[in-house]
Structure formats: structure tokens, C-alpha cells
């Protein structure tokens, strides 16, 4: 009877531990073994008989546990302690860790990966600001705001536009218990326009009910739902909330395996779960739908990049020869064909201010490209931008790399203590002393290009290939003063764009009139208003010679 009771108790306890902790039933994952270890310890205690005897009330062992339980305990204990040490220690497996990232290609120019971009498509809203804006729109509806809370924001492309998207989650057990059909929608914040904030509660005329989520309980918990539907033998991580181009909500969950003993986490596929119905579809990495932006978890790529740079000459490299380390962290950026990449700079071990190169890792396939070109680290770029407005005390956001007229450029926002965007900054990646700031992105671009052009393109001579020269007649010209600087906007005959330049570009601009013949050069870009690189008034020169 006692044995039956003990067996039933341990069985129920084991089920509860598995149901609550969701351990992976596979080699390299010690979670299930730890649960077995707990049950074996309890079984050993229950099967050991104790008795109190003698005048001193001495406790004696009157019955010992079976050898099977003792041996099982020793085996499982070794699995949890000795085996991970032997199979996973970096001292013994440094070559495996170094190669886990896969083949790293050498790139020519980083601008070949990052396409030119119009200034109205530049990301100006970071995750912190997106959360503030999301909380604001949620607070505007008190009945809803008291029932739910915002989940984590995930940046993604939706119909070729960049958005931060976060689900509404239950704010506690009783809120979930009274509303088990799901929370009413999600929040979208444009990453390029802080005024574009939406609370989405309907798609195609149907109300959204996000039933499966991380904040839910029992089988409505998204992790537990996937686990008990055929995924108990594989690692599950990086629960990202994404929407498809129609606006339907999904959870994107990365499946992973341990490639180096009990370590070396590596993505092997993805699980796409309908957040409303719970429908599960599993994909291999190469078959994942195109609207899914990220498969490779940031933490995995960060570890693999650091190991790739750390163990370039094995574990016993005490001189740090050729060792590399990532700089500020990883940033999600978008490049050609709307592909997304994890971006970071790389520095030599012990060097902080300058990067020896930059890395782009495809967030879906993990294809890695290393650009061996010197430049500023993200921290150095932030410091340079903040130094431009140090009297205001603004803080720079994490820099995002962009291709500005074939110039690799960090773009960031400058925020006040309350987290609100006050100004913008552009810093040349190759030379962080070339900085432009402004109250608008337009002003910032003009300021940046003026500083860049005054540097005679020394930071990137190849950008001259994108310049165009035009000789024409001025048909309209007007000046505008911004932040104490005079800018001259003008149009020329037979060219559709508006041009702008300052007196720093040419002292002939302030005295140029309609009808003057001018020679200008400028970078070919995607803007309606184009900054001139050089300006020469041919009419003034002709008049001077005539005199």
C-alpha cells in the first residue's frame, strides 16, 4: 500500500513539474534530468526506513533503498553535472564554438548590402519610444487599459512599411480568467513616423481576440500550447509577435538544438502559431514564409559572433592575437530586397573607440558577411552626436546604419530626459567627426552633407561616382534661415528637383539671381530636395572677366 501511494504521489508530482517547467526531452537539455533527479531523491527518502530506539532516541536506518534507485540517482546526477562539463567546456571544444556561426564571407562595401533610402523611410522611433506611444494610446481608452497591458514590441516590415508591433496581454490571472477568449488586438507604431500609432482591434471586419499569449495560463499559454502539440523534444525560444501583410496576428517561435554537448544553441526551424485560433504550422528555415522577418534569435547570434572572434586561434591565445569582439550590441536593420539583418561593429580586443569592421547576419538564414573597413563604434558615434548638442543634455538613441548617398552613415535620434525625440543626428561611420544635426531629418541631412562635402569626400572617395554635374539657368531662388544658418533653395531649367545649398558651399549663392547660368554638382539620391555638393555662378564669372 505504501509503495502504491509513493508511486502515485511521485507520478503526480512529476507531471506537475513537467507541466509547469516544460523541460525538453532530448540530449543536451538537462531540465528533464533535474526533474528526474528530484523524484529519485524523494524515492530514496521514501524507501529508506528509519526507527528511533534506545534511551538516547537514536535514529537508525532499518531498511535501505534498492540498489537500482541508488544507481539511477548516480547516473542521472552524472548526466546533470559531469557530462555537461566534459562535452561542453570551451577549453576542450573551442574549435566547435568558433565554427558554429558557419562560413563568414568577406564583403567589399557595406553599401552593397544596405540600399539607399529616402529620409522619410529612416527609422526615427526606437523600442523605448514605441512603448511610450503605445502606452499613450492604450491610456486613451480607460476601459481597455485597466484590463490589459502592452507586450514586447517587435520591429517588422508590414506591406513594405516599417512598424513596431506589440500584442495586448492579460494583466493578471483574474483578468485572464474573466476573459479567456483573448485580448482585443494589438498596437502598431510606425518606426518612421511617431504620429502614426494605431490600436488594431479588427481585421477584415472581424474582431481580433488574442487567446494564445505568454501572459496566459494553462493551455492558453503559448509556450505550453506548442509544447504539448508535438514539440516536447526540441528547444523553443524567441517568442516574437508578428502580423502578416493582411494584419492577422501570429506568434513566431524559433526551434533550436544543442550542437556542442549541452551548449551551442542553434536555430533549426520555426513554429508559426495563429494567436487567435492556436493553429500550428512548422517550417524549416528555408521554407518559412517571406513575411516572417526573424528566425535567428539575437542571443544566439551574439554568442556565436563572440565565439567566432574569441577563438580565432583556439582557446590558449593569451596574446589576444587577431581576437575580435562585438561593439555596442546587435541592431536589426533592413537592406536590399527588404531583407533584415543583425548588424554590429567588431573591434579588436582591448580597443573601444574604433571598429576594425562590421558584420551583417541574415536574420533568417544566418548568412554572415564581414566588411573589413575601419570606422566608429556605435558608442563613439553616440558620443559625437551628443557632443554637438551637449548644452541641451540630449541623449542619443542606438545608431542605425544607413546608406546615405553611398556613404555608410549612422542615423540616430536625440531625446530629452523624458524619452521624447527633440533632434536628429547623422554621423559618418568611417569618421565620427563628420556630424550633422537638425530639428528635422531634412535639416539633418543638409547639415551632414555640408560637413561631408567640406571634407572633400576624403572619407569615401568612391561616392564621387554617384555625383552628377549640371549646367543650366536658374528659374527660381529663395533663401531660408534655420538655426542661424542661411540656406538657398533654387530650381534650374530642364531639371525637376529643387536644389539647396548654403553659403558655406559657395559665397556666390547669396548673390545669385533668376536667369543666372550656374554649374552645380550633386549626389544622385531619392530626395525631392537635393543638396548641392558644388556651386559655381557662370554669369558672375563672365561679368567679372568683361570688366
Amino acid at each position: 500500500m505504501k509503495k502504491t501511494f509513493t508511486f502515485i504521489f511521485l507520478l503526480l508530482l512529476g507531471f506537475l513539474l513537467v507541466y509547469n517547467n516544460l523541460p525538453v526531452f532530448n540530449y543536451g537539455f538537462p531540465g528533464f534530468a533535474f526533474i528526474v533527479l528530484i523524484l529519485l531523491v524523494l524515492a530514496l527518502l521514501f524507501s529508506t526506513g528509519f526507527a528511533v530506539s534506545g534511551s538516547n532516541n537514536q535514529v537508525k536506518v532499518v531498511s535501505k533503498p534498492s540498489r537500482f534507485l541508488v544507481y539511477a540517482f548516480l547516473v542521472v546526477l552524472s548526466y546533470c553535472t559531469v557530462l555537461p562539463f566534459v562535452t561542453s567546456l570551451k577549453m576542450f571544444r573551442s574549435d566547435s564554438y568558433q565554427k558554429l556561426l558557419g562560413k563568414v564571407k568577406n564583403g567589399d562595401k557595406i553599401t552593397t548590402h544596405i540600399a539607399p533610402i529616402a529620409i522619410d523611410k529612416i527609422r526615427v522611433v526606437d523600442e523605448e519610444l514605441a512603448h511610450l506611444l503605445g502606452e499613450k494610446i492604450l491610456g486613451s481608452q480607460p476601459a481597455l487599459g485597466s484590463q490589459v497591458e502592452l507586450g514586447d514590441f517587435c520591429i517588422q516590415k508590414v506591406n513594405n512599411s516599417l512598424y513596431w508591433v506589440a500584442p495586448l496581454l492579460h494583466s493578471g490571472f483574474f483578468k485572464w480568467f474573466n476573459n479567456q477568449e483573448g485580448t482585443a488586438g494589438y498596437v502598431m507604431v510606425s518606426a518612421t513616423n511617431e504620429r502614426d500609432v494605431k490600436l488594431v482591434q479588427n481585421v477584415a471586419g472581424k474582431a481580433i481576440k488574442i487567446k494564445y499569449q505568454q501572459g496566459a495560463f494553462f493551455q492558453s499559454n503559448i509556450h505550453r500550447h506548442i509544447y504539448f502539440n508535438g514539440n516536447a523534444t526540441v528547444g523553443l525560444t524567441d517568442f516574437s509577435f508578428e502580423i502578416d501583410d493582411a494584419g492577422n496576428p501570429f506568434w513566431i517561435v524559433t526551434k533550436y538544438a544543442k550542437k556542442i554537448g549541452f551548449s551551442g544553441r542553434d536555430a533549426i526551424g520555426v513554429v508559426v502559431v495563429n494567436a487567435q485560433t492556436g493553429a500550428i504550422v512548422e517550417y524549416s528555415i528555408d521554407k518559412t514564409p517571406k513575411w516572417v522577418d526573424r528566425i535567428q534569435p539575437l542571443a544566439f547570434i551574439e554568442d556565436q559572433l563572440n565565439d567566432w572572434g574569441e577563438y580565432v586561434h583556439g582557446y590558449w591565445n593569451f596574446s589576444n592575437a587577431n581576437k575580435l569582439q562585438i561593439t555596442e550590441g546587435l541592431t536589426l536593420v533592413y537592406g536590399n530586397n527588404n531583407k533584415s539583418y543583425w548588424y554590429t561593429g567588431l573591434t579588436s580586443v582591448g580597443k573601444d573607440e574604433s571598429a576594425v569592421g562590421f558584420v551583417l547576419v541574415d536574420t533568417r538564414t544566418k548568412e554572415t558577411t564581414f566588411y573589413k573597413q575601419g570606422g566608429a563604434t556605435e558608442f563613439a558615434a553616440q558620443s559625437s552626436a551628443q557632443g554637438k548638442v551637449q548644452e541641451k543634455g540630449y541623449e542619443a538613441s542606438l545608431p542605425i546604419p544607413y546608406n546615405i548617398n553611398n556613404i555608410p552613415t549612422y542615423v540616430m535620434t536625440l531625446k530629452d530626459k523624458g524619452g521624447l525625440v527633440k533632434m536628429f543626428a547623422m554621423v559618418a561611420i568611417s569618421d565620427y567627426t563628420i556630424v550633422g544635426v537638425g530639428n528635422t531629418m531634412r535639416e539633418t541631412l543638409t547639415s551632414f552633407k555640408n560637413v561631408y562635402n567640406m571634407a572633400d569626400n576624403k572619407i569615401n572617395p568612391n561616392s564621387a561616382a554617384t555625383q552628377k554635374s549640371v549646367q543650366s539657368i536658374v528659374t527660381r531662388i529663395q533663401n531660408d534661415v534655420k538655426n542661424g544658418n542661411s540656406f538657398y533653395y533654387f530650381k534650374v531649367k530642364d531639371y525637376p528637383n529643387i536644389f539647396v545649398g548654403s553659403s558655406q558651399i559657395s559665397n556666390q549663392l547669396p548673390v545669385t539671381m533668376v536667369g543666372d547660368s550656374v554649374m552645380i554638382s550633386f549626389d544622385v539620391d531619392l530626395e525631392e530636395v537635393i543638396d548641392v555638393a558644388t556651386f559655381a555662378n557662370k554669369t558672375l564669372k563672365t561679368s567679372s572677366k568683361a570688366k
Side-chain angles (χ1 to χ4, degrees):
M1 188 70 176
K2 180 182 176 182
K3 290 183 177 179
T4 303
F5 173 79
T6 301
F7 176 77
I8 294 174
F9 172 76
L10 293 177
L11 191 65
L12 288 174
L13 179 61
F15 172 77
L16 290 175
L17 289 172
V18 169
Y19 187 82
N20 184 66
N21 295 285
L22 307 177
V24 178
F25 290 78
N26 210 330
Y27 173 76
F29 295 85
F32 178 67
F34 275 116
I35 291 177
V36 174
L37 198 63
I38 292 171
L39 298 177
L40 285 172
V41 169
L42 292 174
L44 287 170
L45 290 174
F46 290 153
S47 61
T48 303
F50 299 94
V52 178
S53 64
S55 58
N56 295 328
N57 293 326
Q58 292 181 336
V59 178
K60 294 184 179 181
V61 177
V62 296
S63 63
K64 295 181 179 180
S66 68
R67 290 186 178 182
F68 172 79
L69 287 178
V70 175
Y71 291 150
F73 171 79
L74 293 175
V75 169
V76 177
L77 182 63
S78 299
Y79 179 86
C80 294
T81 57
V82 178
L83 197 59
F85 180 82
V86 173
T87 62
S88 312
L89 195 64
K90 291 185 176 181
M91 183 186 301
F92 305 137
R93 305 292 303 275
S94 61
D95 185 62
S96 297
Y97 281 101
Q98 202 271 337
K99 293 178 179 178
L100 187 58
L101 183 64
K103 183 179 180 181
V104 178
K105 299 189 300 184
N106 289 323
D108 181 22
K109 294 189 297 181
I110 197 169
T111 49
T112 60
H113 248 112
I114 303 177
I117 192 168
I119 57 174
D120 61 345
K121 299 296 183 182
I122 290 177
R123 192 195 313 181
V124 296
V125 176
D126 59 12
E127 185 174 1
E128 181 184 4
L129 180 57
H131 192 83
L132 287 175
L133 296 172
E135 290 283 5
K136 184 177 180 181
I137 194 172
L138 198 59
S140 66
Q141 301 193 27
L144 184 62
S146 63
Q147 296 293 317
V148 299
E149 61 186 10
L150 275 176
D152 293 331
F153 276 91
C154 181
I155 195 164
Q156 55 202 267
K157 278 285 183 75
V158 182
N159 293 315
N160 292 326
S161 295
L162 199 57
Y163 282 93
W164 291 99
V165 183
L168 301 182
L169 303 178
H170 298 292
S171 56
F173 175 79
F174 292 106
K175 303 294 174 58
W176 167 82
F177 186 78
N178 294 322
N179 188 25
Q180 294 186 41
E181 69 272 16
T183 49
Y186 54 85
V187 172
M188 295 179 67
V189 180
S190 171
T192 59
N193 180 5
E194 61 184 285
R195 294 180 180 84
D196 183 4
V197 184
K198 309 174 198 174
L199 174 60
V200 182
Q201 297 183 289
N202 294 276
V203 173
K206 295 182 179 180
I208 297 174
K209 293 293 181 181
I210 301 176
K211 178 179 180 179
Y212 297 91
Q213 51 183 266
Q214 290 177 287
F217 298 85
F218 300 109
Q219 290 306 118
S220 293
N221 180 280
I222 183 64
H223 191 174
R224 188 171 290 114
H225 174 68
I226 300 171
Y227 180 88
F228 284 106
N229 278 277
N231 289 283
T233 60
V234 66
L236 300 171
T237 189
D238 204 29
F239 291 73
S240 303
F241 185 83
E242 292 196 30
I243 60 176
D244 62 12
D245 289 337
N248 297 304
F250 294 87
W251 288 101
I252 311 301
V253 184
T254 299
K255 297 196 300 182
Y256 71 96
K258 302 286 187 73
K259 295 297 182 70
I260 308 171
F262 284 61
S263 296
R265 297 175 299 174
D266 197 36
I268 58 174
V270 68
V271 180
V272 178
V273 186
N274 188 305
Q276 301 187 88
T277 66
I280 298 174
V281 183
E282 298 182 37
Y283 297 97
S284 61
I285 290 176
D286 58 330
K287 299 295 184 181
T288 302
K290 291 184 178 180
W291 60 265
V292 176
D293 283 11
R294 52 190 268 185
I295 299 173
Q296 305 291 335
L298 182 150
F300 289 13
I301 300 303
E302 190 169 10
D303 288 344
Q304 292 178 21
L305 276 172
N306 277 325
D307 289 338
W308 173 75
E310 173 74 15
Y311 303 116
V312 62
H313 293 311
Y315 185 84
W316 307 102
N317 182 12
F318 298 119
S319 65
N320 293 332
N322 300 323
K323 278 188 180 181
L324 298 173
Q325 61 186 4
I326 64 172
T327 52
E328 188 87 354
L330 272 64
T331 305
L332 188 69
V333 300
Y334 286 83
N336 288 322
N337 301 321
N338 287 325
K339 284 188 174 182
S340 55
Y341 301 90
W342 291 118
Y343 166 89
T344 186
L346 292 175
T347 65
S348 298
V349 172
K351 302 290 184 181
D352 295 322
E353 291 299 320
S354 62
V356 298
F358 305 92
V359 171
L360 286 172
V361 183
D362 192 306
T363 59
R364 289 168 58 96
T365 65
K366 203 174 72 170
E367 181 181 351
T368 305
T369 307
F370 177 35
Y371 296 90
K372 295 180 180 179
Q373 57 188 69
T377 65
E378 294 93 322
F379 178 78
Q382 286 176 298
S383 299
S384 183
Q386 290 170 177
K388 269 285 189 180
V389 291
Q390 58 184 333
E391 74 284 355
K392 301 181 184 297
Y394 295 157
E395 295 182 359
S397 63
L398 186 65
I400 308 296
Y402 284 102
N403 178 356
I404 306 294
N405 297 124
N406 210 33
I407 308 167
T409 306
Y410 283 129
V411 180
M412 64 204 88
T413 57
L414 295 168
K415 299 188 289 185
D416 62 15
K417 300 299 182 183
L420 299 178
V421 175
K422 295 298 183 181
M423 298 183 73
F424 305 91
M426 293 183 180
V427 179
I429 292 178
S430 298
D431 185 349
Y432 62 82
T433 64
I434 297 180
V435 185
V437 297
N439 293 315
T440 66
M441 195 60 75
R442 173 77 252 171
E443 287 183 31
T444 306
L445 178 63
T446 300
S447 173
F448 173 74
K449 293 180 72 174
N450 282 341
V451 177
Y452 170 75
N453 288 324
M454 284 189 292
D456 297 325
N457 291 347
K458 291 178 181 178
I459 62 172
N460 187 8
N462 294 327
S463 66
T466 66
Q467 284 196 348
K468 183 177 181 178
S469 296
V470 171
Q471 181 170 348
S472 188
I473 304 297
V474 176
T475 59
R476 182 176 294 183
I477 186 168
Q478 183 69 46
N479 76 306
D480 184 27
V481 178
K482 294 180 179 179
N483 298 324
N485 298 314
S486 292
F487 294 90
Y488 297 86
Y489 293 81
F490 62 94
K491 286 183 66 67
V492 299
K493 188 177 180 182
D494 300 326
Y495 206 88
N497 294 73
I498 298 173
F499 296 95
V500 61
S502 70
S503 56
Q504 293 176 316
I505 295 294
S506 172
N507 56 16
Q508 296 176 344
L509 259 171
V511 293
T512 296
M513 301 174 62
V514 173
D516 285 355
S517 175
V518 296
M519 171 69 77
I520 57 175
S521 66
F522 52 90
D523 295 309
V524 178
D525 58 23
L526 305 176
E527 305 304 322
E528 182 180 351
V529 179
I530 300 178
D531 297 273
V532 294
T534 62
F535 180 93
N537 190 314
K538 296 293 185 180
T539 300
L540 287 176
K541 289 184 178 181
T542 302
S543 300
S544 176
K545 288 181 179 179
K547 291 181 180 180

